[in-house]
């Protein structure tokens, strides 16, 4: 199931992206890009796989860590996630067939195993598994 969620995450801003003194605020578009690079395609136990970061709603005050050149900002943002549920019927693409079943891509960054239940039938690019 796809969901629109609000999350918090700490984003690392490397020194080459830090704003100058004339504009001390870090642009939300920069934080959004850094969060996209960090999170998209990653799986989280609570929300599932992050498909995309859509909007940064709040950027906290930057924190400097000793001996680190980057500045760390806690950001609140909206994201689209994909979290498949038990018994949910989904479309998928067979990515690998092995002797004990098949692996099916069912969403962004999500693959699942379909165990060998007897016979696999491929008809008109549809994949069926059934017991004999």
């Amino acid at each position: 199931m796809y969901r629109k969620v609000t999350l918090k995450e700490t984003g690392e801003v490397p020194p080459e992206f830090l704003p100058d003194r004339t504009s001390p605020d870090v642009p939300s578009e920069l934080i959004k890009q850094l969060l996209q690079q960090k999170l998209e395609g990653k799986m989280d136990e609570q929300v599932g796989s992050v498909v995309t970061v859509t909007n940064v709603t709040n950027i906290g005050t930057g924190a400097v860590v000793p001996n680190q050149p980057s500045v760390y900002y806690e950001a609140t943002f909206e994201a689209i996630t994909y979290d498949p549920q038990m018994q949910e019927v989904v479309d998928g693409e067979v990515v690998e067939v092995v002797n004990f079943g098949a692996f099916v891509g069912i969403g962004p960054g999500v693959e699942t195993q379909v165990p060998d239940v007897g016979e696999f039938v491929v008809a008109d690019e549809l994949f069926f598994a059934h017991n004999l």
Side-chain angles (χ1 to χ4, degrees):
M1 172 181 302
Y2 288 92
R3 293 188 179 131
K4 182 178 181 181
V5 295
T6 300
L7 303 170
K8 278 188 179 181
E9 180 70 31
T10 300
E12 176 184 358
V13 179
E16 60 268 19
F17 294 115
L18 292 173
D20 59 18
R21 293 175 191 223
T22 61
S23 174
D25 294 333
V26 175
S28 61
E29 191 59 36
L30 171 64
I31 296 293
K32 178 181 172 183
Q33 290 173 358
L34 294 170
L35 288 170
Q36 286 172 331
Q37 291 171 2
K38 180 179 180 180
L39 299 174
E40 286 182 2
K42 301 289 194 266
M43 181 62 81
D44 180 274
E45 286 185 20
Q46 315 258 306
V47 297
S49 178
V50 177
V51 177
T52 190
V53 174
T54 58
N55 185 32
V56 175
T57 56
N58 185 34
I59 302 171
T61 304
V64 178
V65 178
N67 298 322
Q68 296 291 323
S70 300
V71 178
Y72 297 86
Y73 293 89
E74 185 172 277
T76 304
F77 61 96
E78 295 173 345
I80 303 296
T81 62
Y82 177 71
D83 188 19
Q85 303 298 306
M86 291 293 290
Q87 303 299 322
E88 180 181 2
V89 176
V90 296
D91 290 331
E93 181 178 323
V94 176
V95 293
E96 183 179 10
V97 177
V98 291
N99 61 355
F100 53 85
F103 290 92
V104 179
I106 60 170
V110 181
E111 286 184 10
T112 189
Q113 180 183 352
V114 178
D116 184 2
V117 293
E119 179 179 299
F120 293 101
V121 179
V122 178
D124 296 329
E125 298 185 19
L126 296 176
F127 175 75
F128 302 94
H130 60 86
N131 285 324
L132 294 175

